Amino acid sequence: MTKIDSILLEALVRRERFTREALEPFLKEAEGLSWSLAGILIKRNLVPEQDILKILSEELKLTLLDLKNVSVDKSVINKIPPKVAYYYKFLPIKIIERTLTIAVSYPLDIKTQDEIRTQLEYDLEMVLSVSSDITEGLRKYYSVAAETLEKIVLETSKAGISPLESVHEKLEDIERLAEDASIIKLVNQIILEAYRKRATDIHIEPYRQGVSLRYRIDGILYEAPVPAQLKNFVKAIISRIKIMSNLNIVERRLPQDGRAVVKVAEEILDLRISTIPTPFGESVVVRILPTQMLFNLEKLGLAKNDLVLFESFIEKPHGIIFVTGPTGSGKTTTLYTCLNKINTRDRKIITIEDPIEYEMAGITQIQVQPEIGLDFARGLRSILRHDPDVIMVGEVRDLETAEIAIRVALTGHLIFSTLHTNDAASGITRLIDIGVEPYLVASSVEAFIAQRLIRLVCPNCKYQDQTPPQELKKLIARELGLKSTDTVRIFRGKGCQNCNFTGFFGRTAIYEIIVIDDLIKELILKKTPSGQIKKAAILRGMRTLAQDGWHKTISGLTTPEEVMRVTVAEEDIDRQRFISVVETDFSAAAQDKAQTQIYTDKRGYLRLDDNINIHYKVFRSNEELLKGDFKPEEFSITKNISAGGLLFISSEPLPLGAILELSIDLAQEQETIQCLAKVVRLEALAQNNKYDIAVCFLDMTGAQRTRLEKYVKTQG
């Protein structure tokens, strides 16, 4: 029995945790396995490790250190070789003059301390820390697989082989080295570290100066510290990855794609490997996908109203649901979740994808293979002969695929697909731009759903920011239509070991959903610009990507910076005017003042007294439309007009604040100007029960405003 074991035994007996007789069997077991008494007690879950460390710190007068709240200077790490730290299982903490402070999970005996002093030429001071924190610290500060890499260097040196020569010049040595146990272990450790850090991608990139290893975690790339020697083995590492994915290790001039399946911590991972040639060697990206995913509609991050909309979409018998967004915005996961919700034995579901991201039981999945002519369009035509009820098309990229998908939807099938656009409204114009007729879009598509992924604040280190900029709070309040900034609370993460000191842990989605109802169909048929369609949808209750993000911000799920990072900032004057007039809840006095300012227009547009034909229709809310409260389009003549607004005569009193769909027929102009306008002044005329109606333009484009300005100057 060692001295430390003896001290621990006496302390446990004195604290009445165990009797001496009860500990005897564990002492014998520890001696037989050459373990410590603490190791046996922890293994059998008899005493928590934290309790043992606390007892030893009190008995031996050693500091108990929480490594989760400690940052080690890089200069200290550089002075202690990784092979020494890994072998003796300690983490260097600090060096003051000739004294090295190390964190250990169990006090080192005198002999071991002497060995370390001899090798490092430092006096030692010990502190106690949890073993898992020490292991994590070694991985964090000494880079991925530093110990394994040193062993490889040592073995090649003993064999009289130059690592640089063997890797860079001799192909047969590279092939042999790729199958070496140490290289296999090195690659496995790189993948295991990625899995532990929740990475979705591993990037191995060679440069003239060396090699870079990066992990994409929660959508952001983080540099992983690597030893300088790694550059000498990068070709062997890449060759090993190629062997795993059945790629040609000799071919380095062309891009290659492959896949592999590995088992990590009882979980099967699907690896997608892609290589591309660079001047300094091949660059490799490994996408990590779990073979089994739990797809749950309630966990996508949808607001309650949007969740109801989603559930109504996926239960429709026919039509198309498009999910839009850039690459990596979670579109495929959303579609898989929808399919999982309706995946029952009475439905035939077929997908055609590039690539197949996840395997789903009960669903027929087809992989696109352009090299043999199997593209989306051809696959979609073949799918129809297999009697499907629901079809998922990975992406609509061209007119042929779009037209087939639309005609399939019109014949009674439910279609899910994706488009690459910035927002939901742009999905409409995207389809029209590639050649789809507007009437086909209006009659077949049920909804366009835009989405982005935002990082979630780490729950372990989350705190409320008490001093956010007032301008930021005002922006959020204005975007959400809040009366004051009092309810705007902002949360952040301090950074801890749980979140790898980033302040974020996990991701969720923000959404923007345009339902293709009767009004939106009219706008589609008129080929209305996407900006006007979006603003019309906002007036009908659509929550934009930014607004959904702000809701998640004040709920404490994310930070304002995350929302601004993934959403497009729209800073144009017209949008600011639109937000301030339509969305903000003014008091009556403030509203009158705002309306007067808008109508008089600070920019001083020239005004023309002229009779111009206009057509207008009151923009109705969702509730009014559901009640069937439709009003026909009215015809009128203006009394005066400018690039900021106009005055016309109406036979009925229009309420202040009413939103109008407006068409202006300019003389000698081939195309009418269509926009939304807001009633800002109403005045009853003494004769014929007529009314003067003053409106300001809400969403007029810059080109349309320029046309109006030019017309007023020419005719004035």
Side-chain angles (χ1 to χ4, degrees), residues 560-576:
E561 292 77 13
E562 270 299 288
V563 177
M564 291 186 280
R565 180 178 67 86
V566 301
T567 57
V568 179
E570 296 172 294
E571 300 293 342
D572 60 279
I573 296 172
D574 293 327
R575 178 178 180 273
Q576 294 303 324

Side-chain angles (χ1 to χ4, degrees), residues 696-707:
C696 70
F697 304 134
L698 290 179
D699 65 338
M700 184 172 287
T701 65
Q704 290 173 330
R705 207 179 293 279
T706 301
R707 283 175 57 198

Side-chain angles (χ1 to χ4, degrees), residues 410-675:
L410 292 173
T411 56
H413 297 83
L414 182 61
I415 310 290
F416 294 93
S417 191
T418 69
L419 287 168
H420 283 258
T421 62
N422 287 329
D423 58 13
S426 298
I428 297 170
T429 52
R430 169 70 175 153
L431 290 176
I432 294 173
D433 287 345
I434 64 176
V436 180
E437 292 295 333
Y439 76 90
L440 288 175
V441 177
S443 58
S444 63
V445 181
E446 296 293 335
F448 288 90
I449 304 164
Q451 74 173 80
R452 298 289 189 279
L453 291 177
I454 55 173
R455 294 183 292 173
L456 294 170
V457 176
C458 175
N460 278 20
C461 57
K462 179 178 175 181
Y463 72 98
Q464 184 176 348
D465 186 354
Q466 301 293 343
T467 59
Q470 193 62 28
E471 293 77 11
L472 178 61
K473 296 180 72 174
K474 287 180 180 178
L475 169 66
I476 295 173
R478 184 175 72 242
E479 290 279 332
L480 296 181
L482 303 177
K483 294 181 180 180
S484 72
T485 60
D486 295 341
T487 57
V488 177
R489 299 185 304 163
I490 294 173
F491 293 84
R492 304 184 188 279
K494 292 181 180 178
C496 63
Q497 192 166 333
N498 182 59
C499 61
N500 202 27
F501 299 94
T502 62
F504 297 97
F505 189 92
R507 289 190 290 178
T508 190
I510 54 176
Y511 291 92
E512 175 180 288
I513 303 173
I514 289 184
V515 181
I516 309 301
D517 56 20
D518 291 335
L519 177 63
I520 302 298
K521 286 180 181 179
E522 284 186 31
L523 297 177
I524 293 172
L525 293 173
K526 294 176 183 177
K527 294 187 177 181
T528 306
S530 62
Q532 294 185 30
I533 294 175
K534 181 173 183 176
K535 290 165 185 176
I538 291 172
L539 287 172
R540 302 171 73 75
M542 183 190 79
R543 179 185 286 185
T544 65
L545 286 167
Q547 287 171 338
D548 195 19
W550 295 134
H551 274 289
K552 287 180 169 62
T553 298
I554 64 177
S555 298
L557 295 176
T558 189
T559 65
E561 292 77 13
E562 270 299 288
V563 177
M564 291 186 280
R565 180 178 67 86
V566 301
T567 57
V568 179
E570 296 172 294
E571 300 293 342
D572 60 279
I573 296 172
D574 293 327
R575 178 178 180 273
Q576 294 303 324
R577 174 182 302 184
F578 179 76
I579 291 171
S580 61
V581 174
V582 179
E583 294 181 304
T584 306
D585 187 9
F586 289 119
S587 64
Q591 190 168 355
D592 290 340
K593 181 180 179 182
Q595 290 165 355
T596 303
Q597 287 177 345
I598 292 170
Y599 183 60
T600 54
D601 209 317
K602 293 186 208 178
R603 288 184 290 182
Y605 290 121
L606 292 176
R607 187 166 293 279
L608 172 68
D609 294 328
D610 195 8
N611 296 328
I612 297 172
N613 294 335
I614 66 167
H615 297 266
Y616 69 91
K617 185 167 65 173
V618 178
F619 197 105
R620 298 297 175 184
S621 66
N622 282 335
E623 291 75 13
E624 291 172 310
L625 288 173
L626 289 172
K627 293 176 183 176
D629 186 8
F630 294 96
K631 288 290 182 77
E633 190 173 70
E634 299 283 349
F635 169 79
S636 186
I637 298 175
T638 65
K639 298 178 75 172
N640 59 56
I641 188 171
S642 77
L646 57 83
L647 180 69
F648 69 92
I649 301 172
S650 172
S651 59
E652 62 172 338
L654 299 177
L656 283 175
I659 306 298
L660 307 181
E661 296 178 63
L662 201 61
S663 294
I664 307 170
D665 299 323
L666 296 180
Q668 301 174 347
E669 291 277 352
Q670 295 181 350
E671 187 178 350
T672 62
I673 292 178
Q674 295 181 332
C675 66

Side-chain angles (χ1 to χ4, degrees), residues 161-172:
I161 302 170
S162 165
L164 191 63
E165 179 188 17
S166 65
V167 174
H168 284 279
E169 295 180 5
K170 298 183 180 179
L171 178 61
E172 61 273 14

